[in-house]
Amino acid sequence: VRVLDFGRFIAAPYCGMILADMGAEVIRIDRPGGEEDRTVGLKASNGENLSYPSYGRNKKGISLNVLSKDAPRDVLEDLVQNSDIFLHNFSPGAIKAFNLTYEDIQAIKPDIIYTGISCYGSTGPYSDRVGFDQIAQTFSGASALTGYEGDPPLRSGLPWVDYSTGLCATVGTLLALRHRDATGEGQMVDCALLQTAMSFIAPMVAEAVVLGREKPRIGNRSAYFGPTDLYKCSDGYVYIATTMEGMWRRMMKIIGHEEFVGKEGFVTDIERFENRDQVDPLVAEYMLQRTVEDVVITMDENRIPCGVYHSTADVADDPHVQARDMLEYMNLGVSGLENVPLCGIPIRLSETPGEVRDVAPSVGQHNDYVYREILGYTDEKLESLYESGYI
């Protein structure tokens, strides 16, 4: 399976990364000189950021400028005809202006699978608007759940809409491949950041619309059950999630306050949440008097979910993260970048697990392979394309 990956930044490149990890030949296409998603943010010693090495790994890299009115259409057509999937997150205006819509690409190869990612989707009154993860978080209502009551809403610092939309695009692409296997038909996979966010936020919307109650913004605590919060210990923090009746009873026994079990106002999850000011300080006091290790051991013994708080610098050293290869390490071939952590493969398959094989390509690194070996271009053709600045 060959993928033309025109993805930029996170959602589409992440989809291409998973396909590449699992064995597809994914060809990342940069404009001559490279795309901005290589350099935005903090830069390493090679002048590029440390996001691109994760979602660019295992891919081939070529240069081609398709966002130009006078770009040679024949090169794009040759690439499409020799590929199975056209993956992009161009802006809605760009795909129309430069004839890159599904209909345009389908006209070149009727059974192409066209996976397009945008902020609002290809239809609807906002379809022509541009947007990023932050827009989807705030528009969807997700930010209304984050932070503390009385303070402004907060978006998550992690671009979860981007990453989850990348996963949705991966699933959609695989479903379309399966359909093509069965019928020979291609199709469009239309993914939108807002669509993904709305699929996650729908239960909270239902609560607000049907029950007339907005889920409260209460920091690290969880609404309507508990005690569930991030608690300070004598030497760090732990997150504890006490849900269901059995966990509640065990937690009260652990902290030495079994008098709350069965007490009026603490019989149901909702009641315990409404009266949390009576219990939460007692749980917090218990945690503060103990080390993180002591708390984890006690919670594990009592089957109460408990997780250690890690900083982004600390988590790489965790033995479980290491045992399951949740981070992969690669030598980028530059001084100071000999052991760079990249995201591990997020999907574990027992028979076809995938592999992180190759570092992310430099701009145009595989031009010869793609243009000469796959497309069969001559020296004269390539020289003309280079001289014109199209590749």
Side-chain angles (χ1 to χ4, degrees):
V1 174
R2 181 174 293 139
V3 182
L4 295 181
D5 182 358
F6 290 91
R8 306 290 179 261
F9 295 95
I10 298 173
Y14 192 72
C15 169
M17 179 201 79
I18 296 174
L19 297 174
D21 289 347
M22 295 303 175
E25 183 176 67
V26 179
I27 301 172
R28 174 185 162 97
I29 302 169
D30 285 80
R31 286 174 291 183
E35 298 294 336
E36 292 177 331
D37 64 342
R38 292 173 175 267
T39 56
V40 68
L42 295 177
K43 297 178 182 62
S45 57
N46 62 351
E48 295 188 342
N49 59 39
L50 292 177
S51 299
Y52 172 70
S54 274
Y55 57 63
R57 88 277 187 100
N58 288 339
K59 299 179 183 179
K60 300 290 193 298
I62 67 171
S63 54
L64 174 68
N65 185 6
V66 297
L67 298 183
S68 172
K69 290 291 187 182
D70 56 352
R73 190 73 173 180
D74 61 318
V75 178
L76 175 65
E77 292 178 355
D78 289 342
L79 287 167
V80 171
Q81 287 169 357
N82 284 275
S83 300
D84 302 284
I85 298 164
F86 186 98
L87 170 65
H88 80 88
N89 58 342
F90 290 129
S91 70
I95 63 169
K96 295 174 183 176
F98 299 103
N99 301 316
L100 298 171
T101 66
Y102 172 54
E103 291 73 21
D104 295 323
I105 303 304
Q106 185 189 38
I108 301 170
K109 185 177 172 63
D111 67 345
I112 196 74
I113 292 165
Y114 180 98
T115 301
I117 299 174
S118 60
C119 185
Y120 295 96
S122 65
T123 59
Y126 305 149
S127 58
D128 285 336
R129 293 182 181 179
V130 296
F132 295 109
D133 171 281
Q134 305 96 316
I135 308 301
Q137 285 194 40
T138 53
F139 190 109
S140 66
S143 296
L145 308 177
T146 309
Y148 291 89
E149 207 66 47
D151 292 339
L154 291 174
R155 70 172 181 89
S156 169
L158 177 72
W160 58 268
V161 182
D162 268 334
Y163 284 108
S164 52
T165 303
L167 289 171
C168 288
T170 304
V171 174
T173 300
L174 296 176
L175 291 170
L177 276 172
R178 181 69 186 94
H179 175 78
R180 195 181 72 170
D181 288 343
T183 67
E185 299 173 345
Q187 61 180 304
M188 178 170 69
V189 180
D190 181 14
C191 292
L193 302 181
L194 182 59
Q195 194 100 37
T196 304
M198 291 302 301
S199 75
F200 291 177
I201 201 73
M204 294 75 172
V205 174
E207 289 176 356
V209 172
V210 178
L211 303 180
R213 182 168 182 176
E214 295 269 0
K215 184 157 283 190
R217 287 187 286 122
I218 46 178
N220 290 307
R221 207 190 190 287
S222 291
Y224 310 142
F225 54 83
T228 297
D229 209 338
L230 183 71
Y231 293 99
K232 183 174 176 56
C233 299
S234 62
D235 59 348
Y237 291 87
V238 295
Y239 197 98
I240 294 178
T242 309
T243 63
M244 299 180 288
E245 182 69 22
M247 291 183 189
W248 156 257
R249 290 174 178 273
R250 295 195 295 274
M251 177 61 79
M252 293 303 97
K253 182 177 181 179
I254 289 169
I255 68 170
H257 286 282
E258 290 183 271
E259 70 271 17
F260 285 100
V261 176
K263 182 179 179 181
E264 184 179 356
F266 295 88
V267 176
T268 67
D269 285 330
I270 293 293
E271 288 177 342
R272 293 192 281 267
F273 174 76
E274 300 292 4
N275 295 304
R276 61 191 180 277
D277 290 346
Q278 297 182 48
V279 173
D280 281 9
L282 302 176
V283 178
E285 180 183 4
Y286 171 90
M287 302 300 168
L288 190 58
Q289 295 172 1
R290 289 159 177 81
T291 66
V292 167
E293 183 179 7
D294 289 341
V295 170
V296 170
I297 290 172
T298 300
M299 296 301 148
D300 281 351
E301 289 174 346
N302 287 274
R303 306 302 295 163
I304 295 174
C306 174
V308 178
Y309 162 78
H310 287 118
S311 71
T312 52
D314 293 338
V315 70
D317 295 326
D318 186 89
H320 190 79
V321 170
Q322 294 176 346
R324 285 186 58 87
D325 296 323
M326 294 180 178
L327 293 171
E328 300 272 356
Y329 291 82
M330 296 195 80
N331 185 344
L332 302 189
V334 177
S335 177
L337 300 177
E338 294 89 354
N339 197 38
V340 176
L342 312 179
C343 65
I345 298 175
I347 304 164
R348 303 300 293 264
L349 299 177
S350 62
E351 302 302 323
T352 54
E355 181 184 5
V356 178
R357 304 174 302 278
D358 304 313
V359 298
S362 58
V363 179
Q365 179 179 336
H366 299 98
N367 277 358
D368 272 6
Y369 164 69
V370 172
Y371 289 126
R372 292 182 191 275
E373 296 187 30
I374 297 179
L375 303 188
Y377 285 0
T378 63
D379 291 344
E380 291 76 17
K381 173 85 170 179
L382 278 177
E383 184 178 348
S384 172
L385 291 171
Y386 277 119
E387 288 179 350
S388 64
Y390 293 135
I391 68 173

